[in-house]
Amino acid sequence: MIPVKKEDLRKLVTDTTVEIYEELTPQLVKLIQDTKKNTELTEGQKQDEISLHMMGYVKSCTNEIIIQVLSEILGLEDEDEE
């Protein structure tokens, strides 16, 4: 769907955002759980690692949202779909 109105674009971005966050959340949860279980790290180090995981998660989600929305608008396909 190529949005023709601002509201259409807003819906596309919102739907894509929900989809991407749901897709990538299990990976973040696993990283956080693994970090919490790491006995080689102090509590402070664990919190630092978790913060880094969360920043990386947001960055990855944002990048993927941009790619997905632009791909939809521009009609780009994945390489394996060609």
Side-chain angles (χ1 to χ4, degrees):
M1 168 194 90
I2 298 175
V4 292
K5 293 188 247 176
K6 199 174 191 178
E7 186 58 37
D8 296 337
L9 178 59
R10 186 174 286 113
K11 180 173 176 11
L12 176 60
V13 171
T14 299
D15 292 348
T16 303
T17 299
V18 170
E19 177 185 320
I20 297 300
Y21 273 78
E22 286 177 351
E23 183 179 312
L24 296 179
T25 296
Q27 295 171 20
L28 175 63
V29 170
K30 182 172 179 351
L31 284 171
I32 290 172
Q33 288 173 341
D34 290 348
T35 300
K36 286 182 176 182
K37 292 177 187 175
N38 189 339
T39 57
E40 295 178 9
L41 300 175
T42 66
E43 285 304 311
Q45 290 171 323
K46 289 178 184 181
Q47 290 304 314
D48 289 345
E49 286 291 315
I50 290 170
S51 293
L52 288 173
H53 296 322
M54 293 175 72
M55 286 187 287
Y57 168 76
V58 170
K59 182 181 180 291
S60 295
C61 289
T62 301
N63 288 345
E64 195 58 33
I65 292 163
I66 292 168
I67 291 166
Q68 293 292 341
V69 169
L70 286 175
S71 295
E72 180 78 23
I73 291 170
L74 299 173
L76 303 177
E77 297 179 5
D78 288 330
E79 291 178 12
D80 57 352
E81 292 178 5
E82 295 175 349

